[in-house]
Structures are given as structure tokens and as C-alpha cells.
Amino acid sequence: MASHRRPKQPSRTRVTVLTTAAAAAVAFSANAANAAPSAKLSKTEVKAKVDKLYEEAEQASEKYDGAKEKQEKLQKEISTIQDNVARGQQDLNKLRDGLGSMATAQYRSGGIDPSVQLFLSSNPDDYLDKASTLDQLSSQQVEALREIQDKQRELAQERAEATEKLKDLASTRTALGKKKQEVQDKLAEARKLYNTLTAKEKAALAAEQNRASRSSTERVNLGDAPAGSSRAAAAFAAAQTRIGSPYQWGATGPSTFDCSGLTSWAYAQAGVSIPRTSEAQANAGTRIYNQSDLKVGDLIIFFGDYHHVGLYAGNGQVLHAPHTGAVVRYEAMSNMTFEFGVRIS
């Protein structure tokens, strides 16, 4: 007889799971169908984001400049120490040879006990502390041994100093590489964003940049503010000869510059050595907090972390290397966050 059992009904839990999954699938399909592609940024929005990336790249660039300067300084110091160690080792060898010749001559003439040969070892310190042996030495030998002791200590200290500086150099090189990569990443991101623009939009931005550069030289009114000193005037005059030179991160001239590269180069032309980075230049002279007290050639420090610097040009204008994509030019100080001026004496 045929079976007439009713089909097994799905459990309440299974029905609930299936229903929820189906609903989710429908909702996902609806959302996917209705989702609009991400909106393209406008030219103005792209410019704002690119400018921000350029500023961040400049911040990293100043850190890179500082690490590079420290690396160069450490390399010079290590080279000097190594030269000193080499010369010191030669002096030590001469002292040992002299003592050896002296002891040998005395031994051959029967004027010294064979135990004195122990002083020819590489570590005479152990024997100088033994009074029973000292009475067998001449005053000349004692003095020679003390010279050897002093020279050994001096060489040990210099070698230890070189070792520490080599460790510092290694960490500085690591920091240098990281900051270099950070700058390159920021600039690559900016280029990628810039390339989302159409050819027409790119041309419009380029025209705006060119107009800003031209107007900074053709129409700027610098007034008649005096220079802070004859050297400040010379530095400012040197920087003026570089108007129109491209910004290049890490560059110190004479044809391309970053911000602190321009100011340090300009003062070097006036015979004045100032630090390489904007952060260090912030402490290179007397600070001027009131803008009305600024004089032509004063350094102008911008932003809270001191990552940008230029030269005061008069009438509220700064002469500076702004950022990637721009050239050395005049610009209103009000376009940036002024911190203080620095007068180089």
C-alpha cells in the first residue's frame, strides 16, 4: 500500500535563516543596482587636496634635510676620530718600540733583571701596579710606560666614541630613508590625484599657477622697509636673483631650492652661515613677534611646527620657495600662518 506521509516541514529556525538570507540578498542587489559611481572631485577640490599633500611633503622634506645634515656631520666627525686613532696608534707603536729598545740594551749590559722583559707585553698596566718590579726600572722607563698607558686610554676612548657615532650614523641613515620615502609617497599621491583631472582642468590650474608667479614679480609692492643689516640686505638681494627658480625638495641651489635651501643659500652669499632646516633657522637669531617690527631680509617662520621659512620682503610680503610645482616668488604673508621673524645678527 502506497505511503501517504506528508513531507517533512522545515523547522522554524531554518525558515527564519533562509528568509533573512533572502532578504539580505534582495537588499544587496537593490543597493548595488542603485549605487552611483563615486563622484569625481572638482578642479577646486583636487587643487585643495594636492596643496595639502604638497604641504605634508614639505614637512617631511624638512625632516629629511635635518637627517641629511646630521648624517654629513657625523661622517665628518667619524672620519676625524678615525684619523686621530690611526695617528695615535702610530705614536703608541713608537713608544713601545722605544721602551723595547731601552730594555733590551739594559738587559744585554746586565743592568736589568730578565723579569723586566714582561714590560714589553701589550698590557703594561698590570706591571706598573707591582711595586716590587718598579724598583728595577729607571725613571726614564717608568715615564715611558706611563706615556704608553695614557696613549692606550686615549685610543680606547676615541674608539668607543667612534663606535657610538657609527651607531648614531646607522640610525640617522634609517631615518633619512624613511623621510625620503615619505616625501616620495606624498608627491606620488599628489600626482595620482592631479591626473584625475581632464587636460582642460590641468591647463586651467597651470594658468593659475603662472599668473600667481607673474603677479608676484610684476605687481608686488614691497614698500620702503629698511633691511635688518647690511648682510640681511645682501642675502635678500641674492634671493631676488633666484626669483622664478623651481622648487625642488632637498635642494639648496643654485638653480633649484626648497624653502630652507633658499634662505640658507641666500645668507651664504652674504657670507653668513645659518642652519640648513627651517626648524633650526627658527633658533638662529633674535625672534621678532610683531610683524610691524620686521625688516627686509629677516627670516619668516610659518606654521606651528616651523616647517616653512622665507625672507621678509617688505609690505607684508615674503620671498620664498613655496612648494612642489611652484617657483621662487613673492607672496602675501597672510596666505600662511605667521609664527615669528628671526633677525640674523
Side-chain angles (χ1 to χ4, degrees):
M1 184 174 177
S3 173
H4 296 285
R5 293 179 182 175
R6 296 177 61 187
K8 185 178 180 180
Q9 296 297 317
S11 69
R12 182 184 299 273
T13 301
R14 180 174 174 78
V15 170
T16 301
V17 170
L18 290 173
T19 303
T20 303
V26 171
F28 177 80
S29 299
N31 289 337
N34 296 329
S38 56
K40 182 178 181 297
L41 295 176
S42 68
K43 176 172 68 69
T44 302
E45 290 172 327
V46 168
K47 183 180 184 304
K49 288 181 176 292
V50 167
D51 287 347
K52 179 63 176 174
L53 286 168
Y54 282 162
E55 182 181 347
E56 292 172 355
E58 185 180 37
Q59 289 174 301
S61 177
E62 285 298 300
K63 298 296 183 184
Y64 168 87
D65 292 341
K68 185 177 181 181
E69 183 180 38
K70 183 178 180 181
Q71 174 185 257
E72 293 169 352
K73 181 181 178 182
L74 283 169
Q75 286 173 328
K76 290 179 181 178
E77 290 174 350
I78 290 169
S79 179
T80 298
I81 293 173
Q82 289 174 334
D83 288 343
N84 290 340
V85 168
R87 285 193 296 269
Q89 188 62 54
Q90 290 177 347
D91 293 342
L92 179 59
N93 292 340
K94 288 178 182 178
L95 288 172
R96 283 177 173 164
D97 290 345
L99 180 61
S101 299
M102 189 187 310
T104 300
Q106 289 179 331
Y107 175 65
R108 286 175 178 171
S109 65
I112 189 170
D113 187 272
S115 64
V116 176
Q117 293 180 54
L118 293 173
F119 286 107
L120 302 181
S121 69
S122 61
N123 186 13
D125 293 358
D126 295 341
Y127 304 104
L128 275 177
D129 295 332
K130 298 178 180 178
S132 62
T133 309
L134 284 176
D135 60 6
Q136 301 180 41
L137 300 177
S138 68
S139 59
Q140 187 177 6
Q141 287 173 316
V142 171
E143 181 59 32
L145 281 167
R146 294 204 182 280
E147 283 189 58
I148 289 175
Q149 279 186 306
D150 292 342
K151 182 58 68 175
Q152 285 177 321
R153 279 193 291 267
E154 180 183 331
L155 288 176
Q157 289 173 353
E158 290 183 329
R159 287 188 177 109
E161 184 180 357
T163 299
E164 288 304 310
K165 287 188 180 295
L166 284 168
K167 291 179 182 177
D168 197 2
L169 179 60
S171 62
T172 299
R173 282 175 172 162
T174 299
L176 187 67
K178 288 181 179 178
K179 285 303 173 186
K180 181 177 182 179
Q181 188 61 52
E182 186 177 344
V183 174
Q184 292 172 333
D185 289 346
K186 294 292 183 184
L187 295 180
E189 188 178 351
R191 283 192 295 272
K192 182 178 179 181
L193 191 58
Y194 179 77
N195 286 333
T196 63
L197 297 175
T198 64
K200 183 177 180 181
E201 289 171 328
K202 290 178 182 178
L205 279 181
E208 289 177 17
Q209 186 68 43
N210 291 334
R211 281 196 298 272
S213 298
R214 284 199 305 271
S215 64
S216 75
T217 56
E218 296 173 357
R219 305 171 191 171
V220 65
N221 175 16
L222 301 181
D224 55 0
S229 67
S230 59
R231 291 189 292 184
F236 181 71
Q240 286 180 304
T241 68
R242 292 300 180 264
I243 289 175
S245 298
Y247 177 98
Q248 173 63 50
W249 70 273
T252 57
S255 56
T256 59
F257 303 88
D258 62 16
C259 68
S260 57
L262 174 66
T263 50
S264 58
W265 177 88
Y267 265 95
Q269 308 317 298
V272 181
S273 176
I274 63 173
R276 169 66 179 89
T277 67
S278 57
E279 185 176 355
Q281 289 177 16
N283 299 307
T286 304
R287 292 188 177 185
I288 311 295
Y289 291 96
N290 193 331
Q291 291 191 36
S292 62
D293 293 331
L294 293 172
K295 294 183 178 180
V296 172
D298 286 344
L299 299 175
I300 307 296
I301 306 298
F302 295 98
F303 305 109
D305 61 355
Y306 308 162
H307 75 261
H308 191 69
V309 63
L311 294 167
Y312 186 62
N315 197 31
Q317 298 287 318
V318 61
L319 177 57
H320 68 151
H323 53 72
T324 298
V327 298
V328 174
R329 68 190 187 197
Y330 297 112
E331 188 168 346
M333 288 170 52
S334 57
N335 290 347
M336 295 168 285
T337 305
F338 169 79
E339 292 297 323
F340 49 81
V342 176
R343 184 156 302 152
I344 304 300
S345 57

